[in-house]
Amino acid sequence: MAVRGRHRRYQPNRINRASLTVTAGGAGMALPLIGTGAAQAADVDTWNKVAACESTNRWHVNTGNGYYGGLQFAQSTWEAYGGTRYAARADLATKDQQIAVAEKVLDGQGPGAWPACSVRAGLTRDGGTPDIHPAGTTGKTSVRKTSVQDVQPQTTPQSRAGTAEMYTVVRGDTLSGIAESRQVKGGWQGLYAANRQAIGTDPDLILPGQRLALRGKAAPATTRPTSPSTSSSSPEKTSSDRQTADRKAADREAVGREKQSTTASRSLVAPVSSPAGTPYRKAGSSWSKGYHTGVDFPVPTGTSVKSVGAGQVVDAGWGGSFGYQVVIRHTDGRYTQYAHLSAISVKSGQSVGAGQRIGRSGSTGNSTGPHLHFEVRTGPGFGADIDPVAYLRAGGVRI
């Protein structure tokens, strides 16, 4: 039986972050004024509840959104409260070390450093002292296991693009042109062989926003048959033949783009391969607008989530009750939202193509089970929703 996940009431004005009051610029750091007195503390069970709310208890999470670790420390907070004595960032520290720093934040700022999650977790100023060993005196070493179905954002291919030889397709590009300008091994055939899964079965059709690996494979021998006459040809003739082949390939790709501009520019793809679950505008007190603002797709954690159309990422990170989310602005002016993700594969400002993977589904934020919450909006923020199913169907998607 399919899991039908849904999320609790969305509260857009609440900040689900640790210690946003700390700033790292100017003459000093701005901290809330609290009365002097005994140090504040909370037991490990309470900190576990805070982490469950902030990061679904992923103590080593780093999605690239500027907040790190199970308690989602801002880097300035981590540094201000002595976290660097343990690790450069919170996600690189152990659970006990993160709790030790959190104790200092609680003492300095109170539970308001985690405005929403402190309430849900029952975090107060008079809790018990946690049984932690930040210096590792217990001698135990925690072993983190990451399953295929709960892949983290930093392990996805797109997030490793900074160290790999990647190229983002722009309007007017051809495989042959990219291969020539970037000196790809194996020419356009090698470039296509290395990116066949991303491009598809038609090498003449590449889309703006696609990410291509430039470490091309050697072109298969069958792509350029040789005969006794061609094998003894002069270098000049071989070069001419290659140029002719490249021109033909460029012509085919130009024709493909022309067809795309007239027919495929309005075509959309489904964000996941799954029947729809909780429908759009389902009424209920679980949602702040009195109805469901999107449509849910019940899929297991780790399912690839795709952009439904070409566009530009305007938000990629924590979205409060929506958990980890991606918001994309499309060429038609509409915005799509993909929420409760377990992994994010793109960055804000990045161009994406239709069908490009942008993350993996999960159950982060206010969610009762693994699913994808999908919205279509007239603006980038909450409250501008329109019927997502009608939008997809207008683009040729069958739901």
Side-chain angles (χ1 to χ4, degrees), residues 276-295:
T278 304
Y280 176 60
R281 278 194 170 272
K282 179 179 180 180
S285 59
S286 297
W287 303 288
S288 61
K289 292 190 69 174
Y291 66 84
H292 193 217
T293 54
V295 59

Side-chain angles (χ1 to χ4, degrees), residues 11-18 20 54 67 112-117 318:
Q11 298 168 329
N13 292 327
R14 286 200 173 185
I15 304 173
N16 199 18
R17 276 291 168 267
L20 292 185
E54 289 284 351
Y67 299 92
W114 297 269
C117 290
W318 186 259

Side-chain angles (χ1 to χ4, degrees), residues 59-61 67-75 78 83 87-95 97-98:
W59 291 90
H60 297 275
V61 67
Y67 299 92
Y68 308 95
L71 300 173
Q72 292 290 276
F73 289 97
Q75 184 63 20
W78 182 252
R89 296 193 315 266
D91 62 297
L92 302 176
T94 66
K95 173 182 174 180
Q97 290 167 349
Q98 292 180 48

Side-chain angles (χ1 to χ4, degrees), residues 292-358:
H292 193 217
T293 54
V295 59
D296 288 345
F297 293 94
V299 290
T301 296
T303 301
S304 290
V305 177
K306 298 171 289 186
S307 172
V308 300
Q312 184 176 44
V313 179
V314 297
D315 187 19
W318 186 259
S321 296
F322 287 116
Y324 291 112
Q325 66 169 3
V326 172
V327 178
I328 298 173
R329 185 184 190 280
H330 299 283
T331 54
D332 61 0
R334 294 290 190 252
Y335 294 78
T336 54
Q337 179 205 32
Y338 312 78
H340 303 309
L341 303 178
S342 65
I344 296 176
S345 307
V346 293
K347 296 180 179 180
S348 182
Q350 178 179 335
S351 295
V352 295
Q356 179 176 336
R357 190 180 77 185
I358 58 174

